[in-house]
Amino acid sequence: MLRRFAADPFAYLGMHAADGDTVVRASLPQASRVFVRERHNVELVELNRIEGDGLFEGWLGDRSAPSDYLFIVETPHGRYEVEDPYRFGPILGDVDVYLIAEGTHLRLWEVLGSHVRTIGETHGVAFAVWAPNALRVSVVGDFNEWDGRRHPMRKRVECGVWEIFVPGATEGSKYKYEIVGAGGDLLPLKADPLARYAEMRPESASIVWEHAPVWNDEAWMKSRAERNNRDAAISIYEVHLGSWRRGTDGAIPSYAQLSNDLLPYVAEMGFTHVELLPITEHPFDGSWGYQPTGMFAPTSRFGTPADFRAFIDCAHSLGLGVILDWVPGHFPNDPHGLALFDGTHLYEHRDPRKGFAPDWNTLIYNNDRREVANFLIASALYWLQEFHIDALRVDAVASMLYLDYSRRPGEWVPNEYGGNENLEAIAFLRRLNETLYAACEGAVSIAEESTAWPMVSRPVSSGGLGFGYKWNMGWMHDTLRYFGYDPIYRRYHQNDLTFGLVYAFGENYILPLSHDEVVHGKRSLLSKMPGDRWQRFANLRLLFALMFTHPGKKLLFMGAELGAVLEWNHDAELDWGLLADEAHAGLQRLVRDCNTLYRTQPALHQLDAESAGFEWIDYQDAAQSVLAFARTGTDPAEQVVVAINATPVVHYGYRIGVAHAGGYREVLNTDSQFYGGSNVGNEGAIVTEPVAAHGRSESLALTLPPLAAVVLRR
């Protein structure tokens, strides 16, 4: 009988007028007897079983039908009262239905998913899920013994959303959706795409969550636009929360523990932002969060959504911005996730040449479908608005932009003009960024984009993609390649360090030394460095100083500041015991001081994305592997001079031309004994001489330490 009313069980179940009579029907599979009564009346009317799977029906005669009634249910285990979910009207309002159908509902999490509500005198939870091609959808959970016959949902045909209000369900209730797909097959139970909390893996049920946020960061939110702009000092500590530090028993930390330990450490080290590898809910630890199944749920590995909000609030209180690594390009094919969600390719492309990502064995969102694009944009806004995230680092943008990304000929479909550009993804990214910047004052977006795609971080109005910043992957690869050479061969590869300045001001760049460079056989940063132990540490100190003085914002993956010896292992904490070794402790001190120098010297961060902020002094001395340049901020008098020596040979009396006469203080020397160096330098200060060099009338005769950088301020 129910199959005939699968799309609208409300038309059959509940109380209805019928031929001058009143009939009430209930689906209660566990019941042996069922009675109905008005809420404030003791009179009972027994219903008759009409089908073997728990359908009951009763005719009330010509009496007036009560608008508020209860079922009294008898089972072999006892007797209880239950509300009838089919006496409640629609959950979604007309405006919500329209915006969902149009694909423009920017606060989708407020209407889809699960929400604790009180209707009249009845407390319960409203559930709503988009599954337009399903033949039947039921919500199942610990409130109905996971029985799909108990709560089949109503379909709002205008937008393809199924909805129901379940009396008695509460915050903390676990649930999924039982879906009969478009082909009539019963699908694996599906987690809620809009769930805001989920079970700890390997379990995968969604959890009703409705805590009101408590924030203490009003001053931060008002000022973050200044902290995120192109002239600000932005130094990012990239973190995988599960492996930064663990308990004595190897347990992963909680959000509360990370608030107490990680955040003060990041602030003390002088970073301005902490970037989290994806914490959106994901089933597999080994994906590091990059295969999410819950785009609206912070992972329960570390605590509750309230705990995560408190973590962000704590970061802001310490002056730290929070960046979330966010993955809109692909999703895993786990049975409880989005794959074939309603029995059709709903979220993913049907054609595997467009819908399958071979690099990760994942599925690709169909952004040409307005509801899917809206789902992702709403997810971005959710983190920025509801969790006060300061920036989204958008993962794998290159894989979205190119139809032939990681594909051989014949494995991809050209666009309508015959090209390899993914036009729907381009439109999606532009809409994403326009919406983000309009709706979230002070927040920014960051693209991990590894190709020469033009204008990634330029406004959409100018033809760009609209991101605030772009990772400079070219700088990272060129620089690490250079530092991998034995110093004796570096004279032949100086272009690796200088080429990046040819394009450095075409985008708003972040210089990343990220997690991807210290896994899968690539070795730790320290292990990449050539030479003996002393030279490896000296090279790494030089690399860090170059990054902090080079145009572009900064990003360093956790453990690099310790001089990690082994590759990063997501199943273990960082090797904090290394700090007992003075060379490792010195490296950590250097990173802290580089951050301090970068933040306190305007010349090192103002005009960061403009050619006026950088000037070569000498880039041609490849024979001695020396580079010298000047950085300038909005006040030309506050110029900073940088000289690097990428060989283990000390250069005495090395002359470089400078723009201003007078005394120069050595504000950083990576060869300082304090950092583990040999303490060669310029005794803290040096005075110019009226000797022409590099086209300038004044010059400095420097002592350039081995495998080191010196930074001087007038």
Side-chain angles (χ1 to χ4, degrees):
M1 185 71 73
L2 271 176
R3 292 190 185 94
R4 290 187 296 158
F5 300 93
D8 187 10
F10 287 77
Y12 182 73
L13 297 173
M15 191 168 288
H16 302 276
D19 299 326
D21 207 338
T22 300
V23 62
V24 59
R25 301 185 187 95
S27 178
L28 295 164
Q30 307 303 319
S32 53
R33 300 178 71 187
V34 177
F35 303 86
V36 63
R37 71 170 176 83
E38 293 183 59
R39 181 179 298 276
H40 301 294
N41 193 334
V42 296
E43 182 183 0
L44 300 179
V45 175
E46 185 169 2
L47 308 186
N48 300 312
R49 183 185 297 272
I50 58 173
E51 284 192 10
D53 61 355
L55 277 178
F56 292 82
E57 177 184 85
W59 294 84
L60 304 185
D62 57 1
R63 71 178 69 195
S64 60
S67 60
D68 189 358
Y69 60 91
L70 301 169
F71 292 130
I72 293 81
V73 181
E74 289 186 358
T75 74
H77 307 290
R79 181 170 175 158
Y80 61 90
E81 290 185 347
V82 65
E83 301 270 6
D84 184 4
Y86 298 97
R87 74 175 183 82
F88 297 95
I91 302 300
L92 298 182
D94 292 340
V95 172
D96 292 323
V97 168
Y98 173 78
L99 293 176
I100 292 169
E102 193 181 51
T104 58
H105 202 304
L106 298 182
R107 298 184 68 81
L108 202 61
W109 64 91
E110 293 184 343
V111 292
L112 299 186
S114 59
H115 297 275
V116 176
R117 290 191 181 179
T118 299
I119 300 178
E121 299 182 42
T122 305
H123 305 289
V125 174
F127 297 92
V129 62
W130 181 59
N133 303 304
L135 299 183
R136 175 176 64 80
V137 179
S138 296
V139 62
V140 296
D142 54 14
F143 45 82
N144 65 10
E145 300 179 299
W146 303 90
D147 190 335
R149 296 170 295 176
R150 295 277 294 276
H151 292 108
M153 304 170 77
R154 170 199 288 116
K155 183 178 183 180
R156 303 296 297 272
V157 294
E158 313 97 303
C159 62
V161 170
W162 299 73
E163 62 172 18
I164 194 171
F165 175 72
V166 178
T170 62
E171 182 164 17
S173 293
K174 298 175 182 179
Y175 70 99
K176 286 186 176 182
Y177 295 110
E178 181 182 281
I179 300 175
V180 175
D185 297 327
L186 185 64
L187 305 178
L189 293 182
K190 295 289 188 178
D192 191 339
L194 272 291
R196 289 169 289 167
Y197 190 31
E199 281 189 296
M200 173 75 81
R201 52 84 175 102
E203 305 304 325
S204 57
S206 303
I207 301 176
V208 178
W209 184 264
E210 202 70 67
H211 279 201
V214 177
W215 293 105
N216 301 288
D217 63 349
E218 182 178 359
W220 169 273
M221 296 296 285
K222 289 180 178 178
S223 68
R224 70 177 181 178
E226 300 172 8
R227 301 170 186 265
N228 286 341
N229 69 37
R230 296 201 315 167
D231 287 334
I234 296 179
S235 180
I236 302 164
Y237 189 68
E238 188 189 29
V239 180
H240 176 261
L241 292 182
S243 59
W244 182 74
R245 179 172 283 160
R246 294 197 167 194
T248 54
D249 58 354
I252 61 175
S254 66
Y255 291 122
Q257 290 169 327
L258 291 161
S259 296
N260 292 331
D261 299 333
L262 167 66
L263 295 178
Y265 173 80
V266 176
E268 193 276 332
M269 285 295 295
F271 292 94
T272 64
H273 292 69
V274 59
E275 179 173 322
L276 312 180
L277 268 63
I279 56 80
T280 40
E281 193 57 83
H282 52 281
F284 178 46
D285 288 7
S287 76
W288 313 332
Y290 287 99
Q291 295 193 12
T293 51
M295 293 295 282
F296 292 79
T299 179
S300 58
R301 286 167 174 81
F302 312 114
T304 69
D307 296 332
F308 184 52
R309 281 194 176 100
F311 172 88
I312 297 166
D313 209 30
C314 178
H316 290 168
S317 74
L318 294 170
L320 294 171
V322 181
I323 302 170
L324 177 62
D325 214 335
W326 184 67
V327 187
H330 61 109
F331 59 92
N333 57 10
D334 294 70
H336 71 277
L338 298 180
L340 295 172
F341 189 78
D342 64 357
T344 68
H345 299 277
L346 184 65
Y347 284 89
E348 68 272 25
H349 284 279
R350 180 183 182 87
D351 188 337
R353 294 176 297 173
K354 297 180 70 176
F356 179 73
D359 282 356
W360 306 291
N361 193 34
T362 52
L363 303 174
I364 298 173
Y365 287 103
N366 181 1
N367 289 311
D368 200 32
R369 186 161 196 160
R370 60 184 183 273
E371 298 96 337
V372 174
N374 188 60
F375 168 80
L376 291 170
I377 290 172
S379 169
L381 295 178
Y382 177 69
W383 296 108
L384 297 169
Q385 294 178 344
E386 296 294 324
F387 283 86
H388 292 193
I389 293 293
D390 299 288
L392 294 178
R393 181 265 194 185
V394 182
D395 178 62
V397 170
S399 74
M400 301 174 68
L401 292 174
Y402 297 94
L403 293 166
D404 60 347
Y405 185 87
S406 288
R407 298 178 189 275
R408 293 171 295 194
E411 295 180 345
W412 60 282
V413 182
N415 64 34
E416 60 188 281
Y417 304 107
N420 67 341
E421 302 87 358
N422 190 330
L423 302 181
E424 68 187 46
I426 295 167
F428 164 74
L429 291 170
R430 286 173 170 164
R431 180 187 165 198
L432 168 72
N433 285 315
E434 284 186 313
T435 305
L436 183 158
Y437 281 94
C440 306
E441 183 179 1
V444 298
S445 61
I446 302 165
E448 186 217 7
E449 204 286 308
S450 55
T451 74
W453 190 279
M455 302 179 70
V456 171
S457 59
R458 293 294 181 260
V460 173
S461 59
S462 301
L465 292 182
F467 286 94
Y469 295 97
K470 171 182 172 173
W471 274 22
N472 194 337
M473 311 290 276
W475 173 88
M476 178 185 69
H477 292 308
D478 290 350
T479 301
L480 290 179
R481 182 171 60 245
Y482 178 87
F483 274 87
Y485 293 123
D486 187 289
I488 197 171
Y489 301 115
R490 286 176 176 171
R491 65 175 62 195
Y492 307 114
H493 302 282
Q494 187 125 322
N495 185 59
D496 283 343
L497 293 188
T498 61
F499 178 67
L501 273 303
V502 174
Y503 60 84
F505 310 108
E507 301 276 5
N508 303 326
Y509 278 121
I510 292 174
L511 310 180
L513 293 174
S514 73
H515 65 280
D516 278 328
E517 302 314 305
V518 293
V519 290
H520 301 323
K522 295 180 182 179
R523 299 176 293 162
S524 69
L525 289 184
L526 182 65
S527 297
K528 294 177 193 288
M529 302 295 112
D532 59 22
R533 185 176 191 270
W534 189 94
Q535 290 184 350
R536 289 199 303 274
F537 276 96
N539 271 303
L540 189 53
R541 293 194 299 267
L542 174 58
L543 170 61
F544 288 158
L546 176 62
M547 180 180 76
F548 276 97
T549 56
H550 191 286
K553 310 309 179 187
K554 325 301 176 188
L555 181 142
L556 194 63
F557 183 57
M558 66 178 198
E561 81 280 12
L562 308 179
V565 176
L566 302 176
E567 285 189 348
W568 169 53
N569 176 7
H570 71 271
D571 284 327
E573 71 173 7
L574 299 180
D575 189 356
W576 294 96
L578 293 173
L579 293 177
D581 183 309
E582 187 57 27
H584 292 276
L587 187 66
Q588 185 191 46
R589 289 193 289 268
L590 173 75
V591 172
R592 181 194 62 204
D593 288 356
C594 281
N595 269 319
T596 300
L597 180 69
Y598 170 62
R599 291 167 55 201
T600 57
Q601 299 298 320
L604 292 177
H605 58 257
Q606 292 176 343
L607 306 182
D608 214 17
E610 300 176 35
S611 58
F614 177 87
E615 180 184 6
W616 279 118
I617 296 173
D618 186 9
Y619 61 88
Q620 295 180 318
D621 191 1
Q624 299 187 83
S625 298
V626 172
L627 288 173
F629 56 87
R631 296 294 311 278
T632 306
T634 54
D635 183 354
E638 294 186 345
Q639 193 174 73
V640 167
V641 173
V642 182
I644 74 165
N645 172 18
T647 74
V649 178
V650 180
H651 298 309
Y652 294 101
Y654 192 94
R655 191 167 294 279
I656 65 170
V658 292
H660 304 285
Y664 282 74
R665 183 163 59 92
E666 194 177 65
V667 292
L668 183 73
N669 179 345
T670 64
D671 193 51
S672 166
Q673 187 175 3
F674 185 63
Y675 306 131
S678 56
N679 229 28
V680 174
N682 297 278
E683 298 183 348
I686 190 170
V687 179
T688 60
E689 299 172 349
V691 177
H694 302 116
R696 298 162 177 84
S697 59
E698 296 285 329
S699 61
L700 297 168
L702 296 175
T703 296
L704 296 184
L707 294 172
V710 293
V711 182
L712 304 116
R713 182 175 185 271
R714 184 164 166 253

